Amino acid sequence: MNPSGFRIIGDQDLYQRLLGKELTDTSNPETPIVWRLLIDRDGYFYIFPALPDKRDRTLSPPVVMMYESDGGDQLMILSPPTSRN
C-alpha cells in the first residue's frame, strides 16, 4: 500500500522495499513482520520492524519517523539499516 499525502525524505530503495510490508503480519512464522514503537514524542512517531532472533548481528533495523502537523501535512523520514563496523 503506497500511503498518499505523505512527503518522504530518505532512502528511496528502502521505501520501495517496505511497500506492502506496512502492517504487522505473523501469518508466516518463517518471515513474520512485526512493527514496534520506538518512541512517541510531541507528535513524532519512531517505529521499526522487529528483527528475527537469527539474523546478521552487524545490521541495525531501519527506523521510520512519521509526523503529522496540525495542518494535516504528513512527513515520513526513513533511516536505512546500517552495518556496525
Side-chain angles (χ1 to χ4, degrees), residues 53-73:
D53 290 335
K54 297 177 183 173
R55 69 177 193 281
D56 180 353
R57 298 213 180 258
T58 63
L59 293 179
S60 300
V63 175
V64 179
M65 188 280 292
M66 293 178 289
Y67 173 73
E68 184 168 358
S69 72
D70 293 336
D73 299 320

Side-chain angles (χ1 to χ4, degrees), residues 8-32:
I8 298 169
I9 298 172
D11 187 325
Q12 181 176 359
D13 291 333
L14 176 60
Y15 175 75
Q16 294 298 325
R17 287 194 310 268
L18 291 176
L19 281 178
K21 299 177 183 175
E22 302 90 359
L23 302 175
T24 292
D25 181 3
T26 58
S27 61
N28 182 352
E30 295 296 318
T31 58

Side-chain angles (χ1 to χ4, degrees), residues 29-84:
E30 295 296 318
T31 58
I33 300 169
V34 178
W35 286 93
R36 304 277 188 216
L37 176 65
L38 180 61
I39 191 169
D40 169 3
R41 188 74 75 200
D42 298 324
Y44 291 86
F45 299 94
Y46 295 81
I47 62 172
F48 67 97
L51 295 174
D53 290 335
K54 297 177 183 173
R55 69 177 193 281
D56 180 353
R57 298 213 180 258
T58 63
L59 293 179
S60 300
V63 175
V64 179
M65 188 280 292
M66 293 178 289
Y67 173 73
E68 184 168 358
S69 72
D70 293 336
D73 299 320
Q74 298 174 330
L75 173 69
M76 180 185 299
I77 298 176
L78 300 173
S79 169
T82 58
S83 61
R84 288 181 247 170

